[in-house]
Amino acid sequence: MDSSPLLKIIQLVNSCLSDYVLTLLLVGTGIFFTLRTGMVQRYCFGKGMRQALGDFSLHGKQNGHGLNSFQALCAAVAAQVGTGNIVGASGAILTGGPGAIFWMWIIAFFGMATIYAEAILAQITRIQDPSGELHGGPVYYIKRAFPGLLGSFLAHFFAIACILSLGFIGCMVQANSISETCHNAFGLPTPLIGILIATLSFFIFTGGISRISRVTEKLVPLMALLYLLGGLLILILRWKCLPATFAAIFQYAFNPEALIGGGMGYALKTAISQGVKRGLFSNEAGMGSTPHAHAQAIVDKAHDQGVVAMCGVFVDTFVVLTMTALVVISTLYCGNGPLAGATGDTYSQLLASQGLTKTTLVQTAFSHALNGGSLSEAFVAICLFFFAFSTILGWNFFGKINFHYLFGKKSLPLYYLLAAGFIFLGSIVQNDLAWELQDMFNQLMVLPNVLALLALSSLVAKAKRE
């Protein structure tokens, strides 16, 4: 079946959402909560780091039926730090130029206040079932914000979008990134990669949040450290290009037409919308995904987990994603890089002739800095495997909460089987439609989530004061 007409329709929907609706909604919500909380990301960030690191352990235990702050943060960061930090950042740079990274920083700074509000409300509105298991997330605070039919409709709308986006299509996209990079680096057949990922994922899924937290509390710190050390090596090798790298980020943030062509208005809109859309896909602030993890934390006050949640956005965007951006820009856009000095049509032609795509850009950057060789491709493939696999675990748990909300506990085995099937399918099929559907449902999740955040802002402000 030819999916091109459907693909074009979804691309149009995504363009309208990311170029206009989400740009205003996400930035506006972030600014609103920054003011409403007295710039919580400025004055409480240190407390959040101390709270998270105080529970740091690679072999922590569950806190009753919940998690400690560090485990909840790892479950959230496992979802945040994924292909968005490699593939998403690369896509933003390719389409919007290096300046898109500046707008990612902006959306992340204000997003720290938004995700604080999400975690607060997830803590306040969570419930505990008769077996003692905790359930929390946007569906619960959406119904609190809008009692009656409206709240029920918005909660169901969010739950369906979350299941499709994160539980099914999102895991498909992550598996596709793993299979493509591992096939390129190691020559492994994609069906074999798909079977291995799906089987391992299914085993971890069925262990619930306790098994997921035991995996992510080990995986997240180690994978981040590995990637940052590799990126730091590249930056040391390219240290002479670092001033030009930062200059390019700020120059093309406000003057992107010099690189990507088109008029000033079009180019600036492209740079900003790419920063917002890919920033959302990366740090997930305002999307309503990470509150599911933060609702599991056992803390004295909701504020304690709210400030921990901000650390996830910081690590995701200002640390890991920024490392990707600096590596790519310093190696490909500066000095003797293949895209250095390119403008307009020349830039587009170079991208096509060099075969540069969002899935190959980082591998190309590492290879260029290390003068070729399979080692660089293998390193990026291994890092992307850990990033994408951890995201599969986190997203599956978020989807599970909403599947349980809609269909009850007895439906969960079916959910796990469907999720594993999508993972296998994603590993063997390259489908632009899946990427666009992922973006669309991500963005649709934002709408009911943000409406509920704004409606319950007084609860957030009260938690901050107390």
Side-chain angles (χ1 to χ4, degrees):
M1 178 180 177
D2 183 11
S3 63
S4 58
L6 178 59
L7 178 62
K8 290 178 180 178
I9 292 172
I10 294 177
Q11 286 174 331
L12 178 62
V13 172
N14 285 342
S15 177
C16 292
L17 287 171
S18 62
D19 291 355
Y20 305 104
V21 178
L22 287 185
T23 299
L24 297 174
L25 194 60
L26 288 174
V27 175
T29 301
I31 292 173
F32 173 79
F33 278 108
T34 296
L35 298 175
R36 194 83 163 87
T37 61
M39 199 174 284
V40 66
Q41 66 268 58
R42 164 66 179 85
Y43 294 104
C44 295
F45 176 72
K47 178 183 178 181
M49 292 297 291
R50 291 191 296 271
Q51 173 86 8
L53 295 177
D55 289 330
F56 173 79
S57 174
L58 295 181
H59 50 275
K61 297 180 180 179
Q62 275 196 268
N63 194 346
H65 286 280
L67 309 176
N68 62 41
S69 283
F70 179 73
Q71 290 172 321
L73 177 63
C74 283
V77 172
Q80 291 168 298
V81 178
T83 56
N85 297 85
I86 296 180
V87 179
S90 298
I93 295 171
L94 282 175
T95 306
I101 300 302
F102 173 83
W103 299 110
M104 280 186 163
W105 290 341
I106 295 297
I107 196 70
F109 174 77
F110 291 116
M112 290 173 73
T114 303
I115 210 165
Y116 170 84
E118 290 179 301
I120 291 287
L121 294 178
Q123 282 277 320
I124 292 175
T125 60
R126 70 186 181 187
I127 63 171
Q128 192 170 29
D129 65 22
S131 68
E133 186 176 354
L134 294 171
H135 302 274
V139 290
Y140 297 98
Y141 58 71
I142 288 171
K143 293 193 72 173
R144 173 79 170 267
F146 306 105
L149 291 177
L150 177 60
S152 181
F153 169 77
L154 291 176
H156 279 67
F157 179 89
F158 176 91
I160 292 169
C162 183
I163 293 166
L164 293 174
S165 176
L166 305 185
F168 296 155
I169 300 173
C171 291
M172 183 178 176
V173 167
Q174 300 291 332
N176 179 263
S177 297
I178 292 174
S179 65
E180 184 172 342
T181 54
C182 288
H183 176 72
N184 292 338
F186 308 115
L188 296 174
T190 53
L192 175 61
I193 298 171
I195 291 172
L196 291 175
I197 300 170
T199 303
L200 182 58
S201 298
F202 183 81
F203 170 73
I204 297 174
F205 294 164
T206 54
I209 186 59
S210 61
R211 188 174 294 168
I212 291 174
S213 67
R214 288 198 299 270
V215 173
T216 56
E217 72 180 354
K218 300 173 181 64
L219 188 60
V220 168
L222 295 177
M223 74 181 188
L225 180 62
L226 174 66
Y227 186 66
L228 293 176
L229 288 176
L232 183 61
L233 172 62
I234 301 302
L235 297 185
I236 291 173
L237 295 174
R238 302 285 293 181
W239 67 271
K240 291 183 179 179
C241 294
L242 290 181
T245 297
F246 283 100
I249 292 173
F250 289 100
Q251 174 191 349
Y252 291 124
F254 301 98
N255 191 30
E257 77 280 4
L259 176 67
I260 63 178
M264 175 63 180
Y266 165 80
L268 187 59
K269 182 193 74 172
T270 301
I272 294 174
S273 65
Q274 284 296 312
V276 171
K277 180 167 68 174
R278 296 304 169 189
L280 171 66
F281 184 75
S282 177
N283 64 55
E284 303 183 20
M287 195 168 84
S289 54
T290 59
H292 299 96
H294 294 298
Q296 301 292 316
I298 306 299
V299 290
D300 293 333
K301 295 175 290 186
H303 169 77
D304 294 340
Q305 194 60 28
V307 295
V308 168
M310 297 190 303
C311 300
V313 175
F314 179 84
V315 170
D316 172 89
T317 302
F318 292 104
V319 179
V320 180
L321 184 143
T322 297
M323 180 61 76
T324 297
L326 294 179
V327 167
V328 167
I329 297 170
S330 67
T331 55
L332 302 183
Y333 288 79
C334 299
N336 63 345
L339 301 176
T343 59
D345 292 338
T346 304
Y347 176 65
S348 300
Q349 292 168 4
L350 283 172
L351 293 181
S353 64
Q354 304 257 348
L356 294 175
T357 67
K358 59 189 177 184
T359 55
T360 63
L361 196 67
V362 176
Q363 284 181 318
T364 304
F366 272 84
S367 179
H368 182 79
L370 298 174
N371 297 317
S374 58
L375 180 61
S376 58
E377 287 191 358
F379 174 79
V380 175
I382 291 170
C383 289
L384 187 60
F385 169 80
F386 285 129
F387 282 12
F389 183 68
S390 71
T391 299
I392 287 173
L393 299 182
W395 281 0
N396 177 269
F397 174 67
F398 302 160
K400 170 205 162 186
I401 294 291
N402 290 275
F403 206 85
H404 181 279
Y405 172 79
L406 291 179
F407 305 111
K409 189 172 184 178
K410 292 182 179 180
S411 68
L412 294 183
L414 173 62
Y415 170 74
Y416 297 142
L417 286 171
L418 288 172
F422 273 93
I423 290 169
F424 175 74
L425 182 63
S427 67
I428 61 174
V429 176
Q430 171 63 51
N431 193 341
D432 290 336
L433 179 61
W435 283 90
E436 292 295 335
L437 283 169
Q438 164 79 52
D439 278 343
M440 184 182 74
F441 286 117
N442 277 354
Q443 295 175 111
L444 290 177
M445 286 170 60
V446 173
L447 301 177
N449 181 60
V450 167
L451 289 176
L453 294 180
L454 295 174
L456 297 176
S457 63
S458 60
L459 294 180
V460 178
K462 181 181 179 183
K464 170 64 169 55
R465 288 195 304 271
E466 293 177 348

